[in-house]
Amino acid sequence: MTVTAGIGYALVALGPSLSLFVSVISRKPFLILTVLSSTLLWLVSLIILSGLWRPFLPLKANVWWPYALLVLTSVCFQEGLRFLFWKVYKRLEDVLDSFADRISRPRLFLTDKLQIALAGGLGHGVAHAVFFCLSLLTPAFGPATFYVERCSKVPFFLISAIIALAFVTIHTFSMVIAFEGYAKGNKVDQVMVPVIHLAAGMLTLVNFASEGCVIGIPLLYLVASLTLVHCGKMVWQRLLESRNQSSASR
Amino acid sequence: MAMGLIRLLFIAFTLVLLSILPLHLSLADEITSIESVPDLQKLMYVAVDGFPCVRLLNLSGEIGCSNPGINKVVAPIIKLKDVKDLVQPHTILVTADEMEDFFTRVSTDLSFASKIGGVLVESGSNFQQKLKGFSPDKRFPQAQFSPYENVEYKWNSAASSIMWRNYNFPVYLLSESGISAVHEILSKKKMKHGTYTSDVAEFNMVMETTKAGTHNSEACLQEGTCLPLGGYSVWSSLPPISVSSSNNRKPVVLTVASMDTASFFRDKSFGADSPISGLVALLGAVDALSRVDGISNLKKQLVFLVLTGETWGYLGSRRFLHELDLHSDAVAGLSNTSIETVLEIGSVGKGLSGGINTFFAHKTRVSSVTNMTLDALKIAQDSLASKNIKILSADTANPGIPPSSLMAFMRKNPQTSAVVLEDFDTNFVNKFYHSHLDDLSNINSSSVVAAASVVARTLYILASDNKDTSNSALGSIHVNASFVEELLTCLLACEPGLSCNLVKDYISPTNTCPGNYAGVILGEPSSKPYLGYVGDVSRFLWNFLADKTSVQKGNTTSVCSKGVCSKTDEVCIKAESNKEGTCVVSTTRYVPAYSTRLKYNDGAWTILPQNSSDSMGMVDPVWTESNWDTLRVHVYTVQHSAYDNAVLVAGITVTTLAYIGILAAKSIITKALKQD
């Protein structure tokens, strides 16, 4: 497929994350650190999961329920780790706030906290895209292309890039929702994130069916846009609240 | 809040359910699981199994096939029947029955030839039945060595001469697995994504002579980009000749066969009828004669000679005769004058017709010796009356002997009295002479057994100089038919091939599939060569003949671990398969087979100037084979560049849109915060 197409696929999967990194994350060193640590956490979770599942691999290719079980256990584990990540962040937030008080500087703004959550989510998303899409992309830079039997209209690399883009979106914005949910004790938000993650994971199983990707990928993008919209709504609400609070406190 | 939660859960659950429902319907078929990136690459770039056509050179130029330059050839695949007006070079998929017409057209129509990037030949069993005959060789193979004037005589009626032409593109014969791989990739395209992809074949068959720009034997031997064709012939005497007693040499009855053949594709040349049937008949006769008592008391000495390189200018016979002139170590025990009779066993695999095995005896000239040989053949035939064997003299209207090693013997010495036994009279009955289709299914094992029986008894009669047919010894000479049949499957089939028990008893073969193409001669030619440079069949023949023609001295057999035996007239056999070989008394020697125009000096080959005393050397093309790095073909699917560009544009668009979106969101948020 040549270098042209290879770069194209890489941009489809990670272009938006690159844009986000350049415009938001790269401005503040602390965010870069957050992205990196979140990426590391996600990779560690994958390593542990693969260690747990090693005795049962390779899974039989023509039955779908072992894969469903795999997705379920992985999502549960990663959601648990997300909660742990939030706990560590909370501790860190307290440390940073008390430090700010000591040197008479302002505490973390709402936007700062949202940006940290965004960076955390981006770390997860980028790790997902690199692991599930970029690592397979090296053959795409050669002259040949590849079509899978079960999704034969579109090259394999394009499908994996599109799916990776959806997951980047989902991971990035669901971290914001999760952090706000845990901070405010909002049950809807807290439950929504694991449910979305699980639904997205299960939707990829639709690709097992012959030409299933025609249904599976649009549905996946539906979930991704739901996440984006809900996050947008939530952030807008919080901003309005904080603005009212700050004007009320004057 | 609780309502929102419940609503959310409901939506999620529905989504998951919707997604899982269609799954139970469509998971029945197999998925090839990709477990790593190398697995993915192997699925993308499908390696195609097959047999290449390689570049051969002679003094005046080149023949055969090669990549036109130093790069891989990548060209889209198209079937020959779909070819209309080609704009760019394509890979043509040709079936075996279309091969002859196709290559003839390539040589005559230059504009057609320029549109050929590469050729894939499909020779499945369904095409073989359609073909009546196919021979890429000439009408009179090796006519320049003929001892008679009529070089226009058509010995080979199915001839097309296509293997002797020069092609500027790679040609590859697909194996069974290769054919299915190519068909699979072509059918996928038809079914699904035909419009913006094309299936290409990638030929990695670059020849060193093309890279170095050496286009004839002299130049390439000088540059070291090629090697001369040749190998190692084997001769053995029954019973062993004691070299020390140079007096009392018995006259020699020499039986000759060849072990090499050729075809358009170097690695797929079985040569079942021509000449391996003759070789197997010779081995069957040796096996039968080795069980006869009193062989050493016969009046004449039996010597068996198996030559290689005969297809490429009678290299084996010319070198053998030259070594006889030089009285070299390779032929110690023999001399020009001691050879009284020569009997060659040519193609004897297609003699069976209507239940009777008929063979024709072609004689070099009329003489008392040839009459004696013909009489012996008749007597042998009569003694085997129950086996339905007929020996007939060849038609006197023939211009002379058919293409055979005897042509070289005759050219060297026009007084040679010799007879060649063939399964044909006026022209070849083998319609697949020197083609990849001359395989086990082209011959009949009973014909080979019949020939072996006749030859064994003829040799006994000639050696004993006794015309008494009631001789009980003659009646006791029986060829072991199951041995002949097993040997045929060892030398002419891939299953069991050279891994059969018969061969593995003597040597450890390097290949399982026998390829009876002579190949190149490696290293320095000598009568005691480094065995790693000697081919499997030559080593097998040496060990087999040494075993069968050996005599046991006393009751003890000594072992030899390094291939060396203590006594001078002993040789070490079976040293490869067992860790330690056995020492036996036998006169079995290797004779190098290479052109008399070549000389090996300090690791390089040089071409000697023409010498009028060597008339065959004057017409010898001096064949060499180009060296190469690798010979591989891959087949894969390629996207059109428009599609690639579209993907890049999509990627850039997505990135830019995201950037714009983020900037917009940032400004909205900042505005919202600044409103206080």
Side-chain angles (χ1 to χ4, degrees), chain A residues 1-2 5 15 19 23 61-62 64 111 143-145 147 150 152-153 155 186 188 192 195 203 205-206 243 246, chain B residues 1 8 12 19-20 23 27 29 31 37 44-45 192-193 196-197 637 639 643-644 655 662 666 672-673 675-676:
Chain A
M1 251 153 336
T2 71
S19 307
S23 52
N62 47 355
W64 60 267
T111 47
T145 184
Y147 285 78
R150 281 148 193 264
S152 54
K153 298 283 186 258
N186 183 342
V188 175
M192 171 177 235
V195 163
L203 277 171
L205 292 179
V206 178
R243 195 189 58 184
S246 59
Chain B
M1 191 85 88
L8 180 64
S19 60
I20 294 181
L23 281 178
L27 280 176
D29 44 346
I31 316 175
V37 174
M44 281 171 73
Y45 299 92
K192 288 158 189 195
H193 41 82
Y196 31 79
T197 58
T637 318
Q639 271 168 198
Y643 195 90
D644 289 344
T655 313
I662 293 165
K666 259 181 34 175
L673 284 175
Q675 267 173 5
D676 53 5

Side-chain angles (χ1 to χ4, degrees), chain A residues 49-62:
Chain A
L49 278 169
S50 65
L52 286 172
W53 271 91
R54 188 70 189 86
F56 307 97
L57 297 174
L59 293 175
K60 266 189 295 191
N62 47 355

Side-chain angles (χ1 to χ4, degrees), chain A residues 2-174:
Chain A
T2 71
V3 179
T4 321
I7 296 177
Y9 296 129
L11 281 178
V12 166
L14 285 172
S17 341
L18 185 67
S19 307
L20 190 58
F21 189 87
V22 162
S23 52
V24 177
I25 311 283
S26 60
R27 306 291 163 94
K28 302 194 178 159
F30 189 74
L31 293 179
I32 302 178
L33 288 173
T34 315
V35 169
L36 289 174
S37 54
S38 151
T39 312
L40 183 65
L41 181 71
W42 205 86
L43 283 177
V44 164
S45 75
L46 270 190
I47 292 171
I48 296 174
L49 278 169
S50 65
L52 286 172
W53 271 91
R54 188 70 189 86
F56 307 97
L57 297 174
L59 293 175
K60 266 189 295 191
N62 47 355
V63 204
W64 60 267
W65 60 264
Y67 292 95
L69 200 58
L70 178 64
V71 169
L72 183 66
T73 51
S74 312
V75 168
C76 290
F77 185 70
Q78 285 182 337
E79 291 306 319
L81 274 187
R82 194 196 297 272
F83 186 68
L84 241 98
F85 190 55
W86 180 76
K87 278 276 186 226
V88 169
Y89 157 72
K90 207 69 187 102
R91 185 82 61 84
L92 199 62
E93 192 190 292
D94 291 336
V95 165
L96 284 174
D97 280 342
S98 60
F99 183 70
D101 286 342
R102 248 185 293 142
I103 59 170
S104 328
R105 285 269 200 253
R107 287 185 160 201
L108 287 171
F109 288 121
L110 171 65
T111 47
D112 292 328
K113 295 185 201 168
L114 288 175
Q115 279 177 345
I116 293 175
L118 192 70
L122 186 67
H124 269 36
V126 165
H128 186 292
V130 165
F131 196 84
F132 285 104
C133 171
L134 270 194
S135 62
L136 298 175
L137 215 52
T138 3
F141 288 89
T145 184
F146 187 59
Y147 285 78
V148 190
E149 278 290 310
R150 281 148 193 264
C151 198
S152 54
K153 298 283 186 258
V154 184
F156 168 72
F157 301 103
L158 188 57
I159 299 170
S160 86
I162 291 174
I163 295 178
L165 177 59
F167 271 98
V168 162
T169 318
I170 292 173
H171 280 308
T172 311
F173 295 107
S174 57

Side-chain angles (χ1 to χ4, degrees), chain B residues 317-428:
Chain B
S317 23
R318 283 166 50 210
R319 178 56 53 175
F320 177 75
L321 294 168
H322 186 67
E323 300 273 326
L324 278 179
D325 283 344
L326 298 176
H327 301 285
S328 69
D329 286 334
V331 292
L334 293 178
S335 76
N336 257 327
T337 47
S338 60
I339 297 178
E340 190 189 82
T341 325
V342 183
L343 172 67
E344 182 180 348
I345 316 178
S347 352
V348 291
K350 292 177 86 76
L352 182 66
S353 164
I356 304 180
N357 291 298
T358 313
F359 302 105
F360 297 89
H362 301 251
K363 54 183 187 285
T364 53
R365 63 191 194 101
V366 180
S367 76
S368 57
V369 175
T370 52
N371 285 337
M372 197 167 61
T373 315
L374 291 171
D375 290 339
L377 280 164
K378 284 276 153 58
I379 297 170
Q381 170 207 280
D382 294 333
S383 76
L384 286 162
S386 60
K387 299 261 173 86
N388 297 330
I389 303 176
K390 241 177 21 185
I391 307 283
L392 298 170
S393 279
D395 196 340
T396 42
N398 286 351
I401 48 169
S404 56
S405 305
L406 290 186
M407 295 213 309
F409 278 72
M410 278 284 274
R411 276 290 281 261
K412 183 91 166 111
N413 176 9
Q415 301 306 310
T416 310
S417 296
V419 170
V420 54
L421 197 65
E422 305 270 17
D423 51 15
F424 60 86
D425 190 5
T426 51
N427 42 42
F428 298 164

Side-chain angles (χ1 to χ4, degrees), chain B residues 217-408:
Chain B
S217 288
E218 190 151 14
C220 77
L221 282 173
Q222 225 169 16
E223 289 297 311
T225 52
C226 65
L227 282 171
L229 296 187
Y232 283 92
S233 313
V234 180
W235 72 271
S236 181
S237 79
L238 177 72
I241 299 173
S242 118
V243 186
S244 47
S245 63
S246 49
N247 317 325
N248 310 340
R249 284 283 167 78
K250 296 185 200 167
V252 168
V253 176
L254 181 66
T255 314
V256 179
S258 7
M259 61 165 123
D260 83 300
T261 181
S263 87
F264 199 91
F265 306 102
R266 97 191 274 279
D267 298 319
K268 188 129 198 242
S269 37
F270 290 116
D273 190 32
S274 316
I276 302 294
S277 59
L279 169 62
V280 174
L282 181 143
L283 296 176
V286 170
D287 176 61
L289 288 168
S290 67
R291 286 178 267 126
V292 171
D293 295 322
I295 279 279
S296 38
N297 300 329
L298 295 174
K299 291 215 179 71
K300 297 189 194 157
Q301 179 79 46
L302 288 173
V303 173
F304 301 96
L305 172 64
V306 182
L307 298 163
T308 188
E310 296 301 90
T311 319
W312 302 103
Y314 296 115
L315 303 174
S317 23
R318 283 166 50 210
R319 178 56 53 175
F320 177 75
L321 294 168
H322 186 67
E323 300 273 326
L324 278 179
D325 283 344
L326 298 176
H327 301 285
S328 69
D329 286 334
V331 292
L334 293 178
S335 76
N336 257 327
T337 47
S338 60
I339 297 178
E340 190 189 82
T341 325
V342 183
L343 172 67
E344 182 180 348
I345 316 178
S347 352
V348 291
K350 292 177 86 76
L352 182 66
S353 164
I356 304 180
N357 291 298
T358 313
F359 302 105
F360 297 89
H362 301 251
K363 54 183 187 285
T364 53
R365 63 191 194 101
V366 180
S367 76
S368 57
V369 175
T370 52
N371 285 337
M372 197 167 61
T373 315
L374 291 171
D375 290 339
L377 280 164
K378 284 276 153 58
I379 297 170
Q381 170 207 280
D382 294 333
S383 76
L384 286 162
S386 60
K387 299 261 173 86
N388 297 330
I389 303 176
K390 241 177 21 185
I391 307 283
L392 298 170
S393 279
D395 196 340
T396 42
N398 286 351
I401 48 169
S404 56
S405 305
L406 290 186
M407 295 213 309

